[in-house]
Amino acid sequence: GDSVTQMEGPVTLSEEAFLTINCTYTATGYPSLFWYVQYPGEGLQLLLKATKADDKGSNKGFEATYRKETTSFHLEKGSVQVSDSAVYFCALRRGFQKLVFGTGTRLLVSP
Amino acid sequence: DVKVTQSSRYLVKRTGEKVFLECVQDMDHENMFWYRQDPGLGLRLIYFSYDVKMKEKGDIPEGYSVSREKKERFSLILESASTNQTSMYLCASSLQQSYGYTFGSGTRLTVV
């Protein structure tokens, strides 16, 4: 079945450092790919998405590129802030079926 | 903005109790979902519904049931709560032909 694998956390960075959170997937066909973010004490929010190969999703300084050849959708940000501390979930969806989530990666940013 | 409201942020129940978790969305979404979130396991789908009075089992339905009598409301029922159901429960909704889910803030349930 479909699955998503994310890097283990926590990822600990200093403010203004470069962020990469790795995500790879296994799915038949051409899934849509997503990154969701969960701030402390809140539900998940959609951060960005990409619906076809080579698409780049971007939002709030975060970016991820849909790489079909490597089945990856790595999340990047050039300069993280303390307010980016959260749990980040990679997810996929084939057609309009249910979302399949990775296990989440906790990001901790210190001043 | 679409709002998904879960009735309780924190809940403490005793083993064997029947527990109701309520979720209401205000934007006429067809699809609604219940997930549980546990450390190291991510989000796991319990049940979902594509329309009123319809329900489908997710990946971990055992010990749970659901009810969707009205389009805007999707209830998760723990028939006889057990300590291994202590978890964060998240409700979500989406349009039928839409990619994005909108999540509620979650209910942290503790079964003692």
Side-chain angles (χ1 to χ4, degrees):
Chain A
D2 298 343
S3 66
V4 175
T5 302
Q6 291 181 237
M7 60 191 293
E8 292 277 338
V11 174
T12 304
L13 295 173
S14 298
E15 206 164 25
E16 299 184 1
F18 185 86
L19 168 71
T20 301
I21 300 178
N22 290 337
C23 170
T24 57
Y25 68 90
T26 300
T28 56
Y30 301 92
S32 296
L33 302 174
F34 306 83
W35 278 100
Y36 280 80
V37 58
Q38 184 180 32
Y39 298 105
E42 299 183 14
L44 277 70
Q45 304 172 25
L46 179 63
L47 181 60
L48 54 84
K49 69 177 189 288
T51 58
K52 61 182 188 295
D54 300 324
D55 267 2
K56 178 185 283 188
S58 61
N59 187 23
K60 299 182 181 179
F62 290 90
E63 292 183 340
T65 301
Y66 189 145
R67 301 285 188 202
K68 183 126 182 89
E69 64 276 13
T70 54
T71 62
S72 65
F73 193 55
H74 304 320
L75 183 68
E76 296 182 335
K77 187 175 185 183
S79 176
V80 292
Q81 305 300 312
V82 172
S83 57
D84 293 326
S85 297
V87 181
Y88 293 82
F89 290 90
C90 186
L92 69 83
R93 192 176 189 188
R94 281 192 292 116
F96 297 108
Q97 297 185 30
K98 60 187 187 293
L99 276 171
V100 174
F101 288 91
T103 54
T105 302
R106 181 176 299 278
L107 171 64
L108 300 170
V109 181
S110 56
Chain B
D1 281 352
V2 177
K3 195 169 182 181
V4 177
T5 303
Q6 294 184 232
S7 54
S8 305
R9 292 297 298 270
Y10 301 94
L11 213 51
V12 180
K13 296 292 182 180
R14 295 194 180 279
T15 301
E17 276 193 75
K18 190 169 186 175
V19 181
F20 293 85
L21 302 183
E22 305 288 346
C23 176
V24 177
Q25 49 94 3
D26 65 359
M27 279 297 288
D28 207 34
H29 282 182
E30 296 93 348
N31 302 335
M32 296 190 76
F33 308 84
W34 274 106
Y35 287 86
R36 63 177 282 176
Q37 181 180 10
D38 300 289
L41 298 176
L43 276 76
R44 294 180 291 168
L45 183 64
I46 305 171
Y47 267 97
F48 58 104
S49 169
Y50 288 140
D51 203 347
V52 177
K53 295 193 185 294
M54 292 183 63
K55 59 185 179 184
E56 298 280 346
K57 292 180 179 179
D59 301 316
I60 52 163
E62 296 78 18
Y64 303 94
S65 63
V66 290
S67 171
R68 193 163 180 205
E69 296 297 317
K70 293 185 178 181
K71 192 173 186 179
E72 67 270 20
R73 185 180 297 269
F74 192 38
S75 303
L76 180 70
I77 304 158
L78 287 66
E79 297 290 343
S80 177
S82 63
T83 55
N84 63 12
Q85 293 178 309
T86 292
S87 186
M88 169 70 87
Y89 290 88
L90 292 167
C91 176
S93 72
S94 75
L95 285 168
Q96 192 74 12
Q97 302 294 320
S98 167
Y99 294 107
Y101 285 20
T102 301
F103 280 84
S105 298
T107 297
R108 186 167 293 282
L109 173 67
T110 302
V111 182
V112 298

